[in-house]
């Protein structure tokens, strides 16, 4: 079982900034891609961003140029810097390794961290 602990969510005004953090258990963190997802009220989490082991990043169009994903392999941590947030960024945010991460089960999700964008 993989432990995933997200933090950093908060109430933020439109145009503001926030940084989310996630700690992932396991000894092979640095060898695998990491993802941030979000859940906006439905039951399907949508991909937000990805970071590969070599630091290569990918962003969905709706956060590109506003969010930055990064990682610290020494701390088994992945981060999501959120800038210029919009009302539609309100969601619960989750991190998750790629599916072949050692010990990861389909039901392994963290508790998420809640971001509310409101004026």
């Amino acid at each position: 079982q993989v432990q995933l602990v997200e933090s950093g969510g908060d109430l933020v005004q439109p145009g503001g900034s926030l940084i989310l953090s996630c700690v992932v258990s396991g000894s092979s963190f640095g060898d695998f891609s990491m993802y941030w997802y979000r859940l906006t009220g439905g039951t399907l989490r949508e991909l937000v961003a990805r970071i590969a082991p070599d630091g290569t990043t990918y962003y969905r169009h709706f956060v590109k140029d506003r969010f930055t994903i990064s990682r610290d392999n020494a701390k088994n941590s992945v981060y999501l810097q959120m800038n210029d947030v919009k009302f539609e960024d309100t969601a619960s945010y989750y991190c998750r390794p790629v599916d072949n991460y050692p010990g990861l089960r389909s039901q392994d999700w963290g508790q998420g961290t809640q971001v509310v964008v409101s004026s």
Side-chain angles (χ1 to χ4, degrees):
Q1 181 179 357
V2 175
Q3 304 293 328
L4 304 158
V5 181
E6 301 93 348
S7 62
D10 205 346
L11 174 65
V12 58
Q13 293 185 342
S17 296
L18 204 59
I19 183 164
L20 307 182
S21 302
C22 175
V23 180
V24 183
S25 64
S27 59
S28 305
F29 176 85
D31 297 329
F32 293 87
S33 291
M34 292 297 304
Y35 298 79
W36 278 100
Y37 293 86
R38 69 186 185 186
L39 185 63
T40 56
T43 58
L44 188 65
R45 293 180 180 91
E46 62 180 0
L47 175 66
V48 174
R50 180 195 71 219
I51 185 164
D54 66 357
T56 303
T57 57
Y58 165 80
Y59 300 93
R60 295 292 304 280
H61 65 91
F62 47 79
V63 302
K64 193 173 176 60
D65 298 326
R66 298 189 299 120
F67 291 9
T68 302
I69 188 172
S70 61
R71 64 192 299 162
D72 184 339
N73 293 335
K75 297 181 178 180
N76 272 34
S77 295
V78 59
Y79 307 97
L80 188 68
Q81 174 71 49
M82 305 171 64
N83 295 329
D84 189 25
V85 297
K86 304 178 185 301
F87 291 116
E88 52 265 39
D89 294 323
T90 294
S92 292
Y93 285 76
Y94 301 83
C95 74
R96 185 174 172 80
V98 66
D99 285 346
N100 63 340
Y101 190 84
L104 185 67
R105 304 173 302 174
S106 59
Q107 64 265 43
D108 288 338
W109 289 89
Q111 81 288 351
T113 189
Q114 182 71 31
V115 174
V116 177
V117 182
S118 176
S119 55

